[in-house]
Every structure is written in structure tokens, then in C-alpha cells.
């Protein structure tokens, strides 16, 4: 018979602190990489502008609409709410009307994304970058 022995309170606190520090480091790295890769995006923000849009950066994320994890990789979203310490974002999937019919079914789905799962709205940013190259 094998049962897990409970951790001593000291070790439980140390383990929790280690997870917290590790998550803060991942948040800091994710934000840094967003700024390096897409300096023209000043988001995430709750706004009707480009800064108020994002895309899903992980394959499987939490859907508040369905109360479970689901596949929404690269889905374009509109930001609804941002956590007080920029640790999470609530966003609604918002594909353009001319998108493929099978992805349009996801429109309106509300996601809760850890900030490390948020990416800038790369489709829109690529269009902006390419239009600037054509003008130059």
C-alpha cells in the first residue's frame, strides 16, 4: 500500500514560493519577447484599437464559455479584461467575417489566458508591416 506522505508545512511554503517565482519569471520573459518581436504593438490593453487585440499563443487554453481546456491556437481575439498585475487576460475570439466557416464557429468564445499564452495580433501586424514595405 502506497500513500503519499504529506509535505511538511515549511516545504509546502518553499514549493509554493518556487512556483510563484518561476511564473513571474515566465511572465517577465513573455512580455519581453512580445516587445522585442512586435515593438509596434503597445498592448495588451482593453481598447477598440490594435492594442486591444491579441492572438492565442498556446495550442490548448481555457475556455470560460465551455468551462474546459480547448484548442484555439492562433485564434484572433478582442481583449475584454486584464488582470491587475498583467498576469492574465480575458478575451473573446473574434475572427473576421471572411474567415473559413469552421473557425467562425469559435467566434464569441470567451477565453481566460495566462499572459504567457497571449501573443500580439500577428495577422494584423504582418499586414501593417507589409503595407509599409509596399509604400517605401
Amino acid at each position: 500500500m502506497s500513500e503519499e506522505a504529506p509535505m511538511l508545512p515549511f516545504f509546502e511554503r518553499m514549493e509554493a514560493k518556487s512556483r510563484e517565482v518561476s511564473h513571474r519569471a515566465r511572465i517577465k520573459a513573455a512580455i519581453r519577447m512580445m516587445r522585442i518581436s512586435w515593438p509596434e504593438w503597445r498592448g495588451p490593453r482593453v481598447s477598440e484599437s490594435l492594442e486591444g487585440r491579441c492572438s492565442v499563443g498556446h495550442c490548448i487554453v481555457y475556455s470560460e464559455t465551455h468551462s474546459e481546456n480547448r484548442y484555439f491556437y492562433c485564434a484572433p481575439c478582442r481583449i475584454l479584461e486584464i488582470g491587475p498585475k498583467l498576469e492574465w487576460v480575458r478575451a473573446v475570439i473574434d475572427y473576421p467575417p471572411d474567415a473559413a466557416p469552421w473557425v467562425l464557429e469559435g467566434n464569441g468564445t470567451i477565453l481566460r489566458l495566462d499572459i504567457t499564452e497571449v501573443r500580439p495580433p500577428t495577422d494584423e501586424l504582418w499586414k501593417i508591416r507589409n503595407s509599409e514595405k509596399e509604400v517605401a
Side-chain angles (χ1 to χ4, degrees):
M1 183 169 165
S2 171
E3 288 186 32
E4 266 190 51
M7 285 184 120
L8 296 172
F10 171 77
F11 293 114
E12 286 177 341
R13 286 193 306 275
M14 294 303 290
E15 180 71 19
K17 184 153 183 76
S18 173
R19 280 192 306 270
E20 180 183 325
V21 168
S22 175
H23 188 248
R24 279 197 311 252
R26 285 194 318 274
I27 289 170
K28 188 175 180 179
I31 292 170
R32 183 173 161 264
M33 289 311 296
M34 278 191 264
R35 301 295 181 245
I36 290 170
S37 302
W38 301 98
E40 62 271 44
W41 188 62
R42 295 182 309 272
R45 297 193 190 338
V46 178
S47 162
E48 292 299 318
S49 69
L50 183 65
E51 280 69 35
R53 301 193 56 78
C54 67
S55 60
V56 178
H58 286 200
C59 292
I60 307 296
V61 294
Y62 185 73
S63 165
E64 287 186 0
T65 302
H66 303 99
S67 300
E68 64 184 12
N69 289 329
R70 290 202 171 185
Y71 181 89
F72 289 110
Y73 186 58
C74 293
C77 299
R78 189 171 28 85
I79 297 170
L80 302 174
E81 182 182 3
I82 298 174
K85 294 182 181 178
L86 193 60
E87 292 179 348
W88 54 266
V89 169
R90 277 184 76 233
V92 60
I93 294 179
D94 188 23
Y95 280 101
D98 62 342
W102 59 88
V103 296
L104 286 173
E105 294 173 11
N107 270 357
T109 301
I110 297 176
L111 307 175
R112 183 175 175 110
L113 305 169
D114 184 271
I115 193 65
T116 61
E117 299 169 335
V118 173
R119 294 292 177 267
T122 53
D123 288 345
E124 294 173 50
L125 290 168
W126 276 119
K127 287 176 190 173
I128 292 169
R129 282 185 181 180
N130 288 332
S131 69
E132 289 172 356
K133 287 179 185 176
E134 291 172 6
V135 172

